[in-house]
Amino acid sequence: MNLLGLSCRENSSFQHNHFSGGLPDDQRIALEALCRRRKVDALVWKRARAFLLLDAGEDAGTVCRILDIGPTVLTEWRFAFAGAGLSFFGLKDYS
């Protein structure tokens, strides 16, 4: 259940089964590297993990449950990522 009392499955407008088209190799590699970093903002890690899970074929409902996010949040992330690419993650340099 999310804060609105709806489970991911109950949101009928968000029943995309897979991340359409998949990630290009360079983006997937960059997101995998980001998830392996020792220091990364939790929200950045969660966003990266969401796209890796979708790319691996997990459905949106499963991704929402794994990451404890609502379907609206995932939808917003998908639109933002589609428009901004990797810059959507607003990465900080921790080196």
Side-chain angles (χ1 to χ4, degrees):
M1 295 290 226
N2 64 23
L3 292 175
L4 297 175
L6 298 173
S7 71
C8 290
R9 286 186 178 166
E10 291 169 334
N11 187 335
S12 60
S13 66
F14 195 79
Q15 291 300 315
H16 306 290
N17 288 334
H18 298 287
F19 185 48
S20 60
L23 291 170
D25 288 341
D26 61 328
Q27 288 185 342
R28 185 177 55 259
I29 290 167
L31 295 178
E32 288 169 345
L34 185 139
C35 285
R36 287 191 302 268
R37 283 186 185 177
R38 295 187 73 166
K39 293 182 180 179
V40 64
D41 289 338
L43 181 58
V44 171
W45 180 89
K46 194 177 269 197
R47 287 174 174 174
R49 190 72 184 128
F51 289 102
L52 290 171
L53 288 167
L54 290 168
D55 187 58
E58 295 293 345
D59 64 88
T62 300
V63 173
C64 288
R65 282 187 298 282
I66 290 170
L67 299 176
D68 193 27
I69 60 173
T72 303
V73 170
L74 188 56
T75 300
E76 290 171 359
W77 289 357
R78 290 172 87 165
F79 280 110
F81 183 63
L86 291 175
S87 65
F88 163 68
F89 294 92
L91 301 178
K92 295 179 182 176
D93 184 10
Y94 290 103
S95 55

